[in-house]
Amino acid sequence: MKTVFSDLQLAHAPSQEISDGELKPAVEIPSRAEIVLKTVKERKVGEVLSPGDFPIRPLHRVHAPHYVSFLEGFWDRWTAAGRENEAFPFVWPIRSLRQDVEIDHIDGLLGRYSMDAGTPLGEHTYKAARASADTALTAAKLLLDGDQSAFALCRPPGHHAGFDFFGGYCFFNNAAVAAQYLRDNGLNRVAILDVDYHHGNGTQALFYDRPDILFLSIHADPKDEYPYFLGYADETGEHAGTGFTRNWPLPLGTDWEGYTLALEEACRWLLVYKPDAMIVSLGLDCFEKDPISGFKFKSEDYILLGQRLAKVGVPTLFLLEGGYAVDALGTNCVNVLEGFEG
Ligand code: 6XA
Ligand code: ZN
């Protein structure tokens, strides 16, 4: 299986994040990608390719052009306002505040285009996020060109990012961009299986009314875990997309055994849907030692996950999402890829 990776993705290097009422060391850091790349090479998963340069169009198929422009111009505006540290949003246009006024202030814009205060933006964030989306697109193109599987070593991750907002360490929704690209280039049905510990709210929302992109997600119950406001079992799609979203919220403390029932159900949906390709939003934060999560996967369980996904029997694009136990991240990730390849 080929891996796609770009060094530019390392340029987004946040130092701190806001969590638990503190400024803590950031967990979505470049070494995550570096250890995965190192393990891919050591265990000889396959060739490592650099992404191609894609035009802005595939990104605009998923994200609002004004949101993309906001991210692109953000650092210049931020520094022009006299700021020099990483940026965090802190005010949002929620219920009873106006949605219809045009915002010009950089702090207002940060709130307008975000869902949380936990996602630092820095000088090179846009460049890295673009490279991450290009990584996903390049891997998607490998499938279109006939590869049966590919691994997009994406960073920053994507599944929380929506049409016009960032959050949960995500800026561009790499899985969604890849799915739409596959649709735009001849595939009729694409499935996204999100196995990150957190619900992929951005991906779900982007395709909620569409039958051509099935979204399946297994994750920690949002009543106990981020993102709290989406990812419940009664969310099953709307309009033409009714029945084409499925969520399996699981209790904190879930281990591989507790997970497999949901995974089997998700695989059954995949068999019925018969997608032309499947995208796996591969978060590795179900791992027992993940510093921000509460599931109990062991490293060996990731081999089983890969083996099970292979049985679905469709061209598969693996795309890195979360996972913060850096020391084990390479092992866990390559376990999935090797399990898949058999
Ligand atoms: C709140 C937790 C963000 C979750 C990030 C993640 N700071 N999403 O791993 O999949
Ligand atoms: Zn996650």
Side-chain angles (χ1 to χ4, degrees), residues 222-277:
K223 79 177 163 46
D224 302 314
E225 187 53 272
Y226 184 95
Y228 306 109
F229 301 102
L230 209 66
Y232 295 87
D234 63 349
E235 298 156 18
T236 56
E238 64 179 8
H239 308 304
T242 301
F244 295 94
T245 288
R246 292 283 153 178
N247 284 299
W248 288 270
L250 301 178
L252 300 185
T254 293
D255 60 7
W256 174 252
E257 204 193 331
Y259 192 89
T260 46
L261 206 65
L263 182 62
E264 286 309 317
E265 276 188 30
C267 289
R268 228 171 294 139
W269 278 95
L270 290 166
L271 284 188
V272 172
Y273 188 69
K274 294 194 184 59
D276 300 310

Side-chain angles (χ1 to χ4, degrees), residues 17-20 27-28 32 116-119 157-160 167-170 194 196-201 225-228 283-285 290 292-293 321-324:
E17 65 176 64
I18 299 171
S19 55
D20 307 333
V27 298
E28 202 296 284
R32 296 181 58 245
D116 67 25
T119 307
H159 73 153
H160 296 300
Y169 315 146
C170 303
D194 190 324
D196 189 281
Y197 169 78
H198 304 91
H199 177 250
N201 61 282
E225 187 53 272
Y226 184 95
Y228 306 109
L284 299 153
D285 38 10
D290 193 276
I292 69 166
S293 307
E321 299 281 0
Y324 311 97

Side-chain angles (χ1 to χ4, degrees), residues 195 197 218-221 248-264 285-289 293-302 304-305:
V195 298
Y197 169 78
I218 310 171
H219 49 268
D221 194 328
W248 288 270
L250 301 178
L252 300 185
T254 293
D255 60 7
W256 174 252
E257 204 193 331
Y259 192 89
T260 46
L261 206 65
L263 182 62
E264 286 309 317
D285 38 10
C286 294
F287 184 51
E288 57 181 350
K289 296 196 184 110
S293 307
F295 279 4
K296 299 251 175 302
F297 277 30
K298 302 193 177 307
S299 288
E300 308 80 75
D301 297 331
Y302 282 107
L304 304 176
L305 177 60

Side-chain angles (χ1 to χ4, degrees), residues 93-317:
I94 62 150
R95 298 162 294 284
S96 87
L97 296 185
R98 285 183 62 170
Q99 318 285 323
D100 63 325
V101 282
E102 197 163 318
I103 299 298
D104 193 41
H105 194 282
I106 192 66
D107 291 325
L109 286 169
L110 275 172
R112 158 74 182 82
Y113 287 121
S114 67
M115 65 178 273
D116 67 25
T119 307
L121 261 109
E123 181 174 3
H124 304 298
T125 300
Y126 174 76
K127 188 171 62 180
R130 264 307 284 277
S132 192
D134 284 349
T135 295
L137 285 165
T138 304
K141 192 164 183 307
L142 288 175
L143 289 200
L144 291 172
D145 293 343
D147 285 19
Q148 287 305 296
S149 61
F151 173 43
L153 206 178
C154 292
R155 182 191 167 268
H159 73 153
H160 296 300
F163 176 64
D164 59 357
F165 61 87
F166 64 91
Y169 315 146
C170 303
F171 301 92
F172 296 133
N173 194 313
N174 305 313
V177 170
Q180 185 62 49
Y181 182 78
L182 292 174
R183 283 286 295 111
D184 289 341
N185 287 279
L187 301 198
N188 290 321
R189 276 195 310 279
V190 176
I192 301 174
L193 173 65
D194 190 324
V195 298
D196 189 281
Y197 169 78
H198 304 91
H199 177 250
N201 61 282
T203 319
Q204 171 172 312
L206 280 161
F207 302 128
Y208 204 55
D209 59 358
R210 288 175 49 175
D212 57 328
I213 299 181
L214 176 72
F215 178 70
L216 308 172
S217 183
I218 310 171
H219 49 268
D221 194 328
K223 79 177 163 46
D224 302 314
E225 187 53 272
Y226 184 95
Y228 306 109
F229 301 102
L230 209 66
Y232 295 87
D234 63 349
E235 298 156 18
T236 56
E238 64 179 8
H239 308 304
T242 301
F244 295 94
T245 288
R246 292 283 153 178
N247 284 299
W248 288 270
L250 301 178
L252 300 185
T254 293
D255 60 7
W256 174 252
E257 204 193 331
Y259 192 89
T260 46
L261 206 65
L263 182 62
E264 286 309 317
E265 276 188 30
C267 289
R268 228 171 294 139
W269 278 95
L270 290 166
L271 284 188
V272 172
Y273 188 69
K274 294 194 184 59
D276 300 310
M278 161 165 84
I279 296 175
V280 179
S281 264
L282 182 59
L284 299 153
D285 38 10
C286 294
F287 184 51
E288 57 181 350
K289 296 196 184 110
D290 193 276
I292 69 166
S293 307
F295 279 4
K296 299 251 175 302
F297 277 30
K298 302 193 177 307
S299 288
E300 308 80 75
D301 297 331
Y302 282 107
I303 303 174
L304 304 176
L305 177 60
Q307 288 173 345
R308 184 62 190 92
L309 296 178
K311 281 206 217 145
V312 175
V314 297
T316 300
L317 165 49

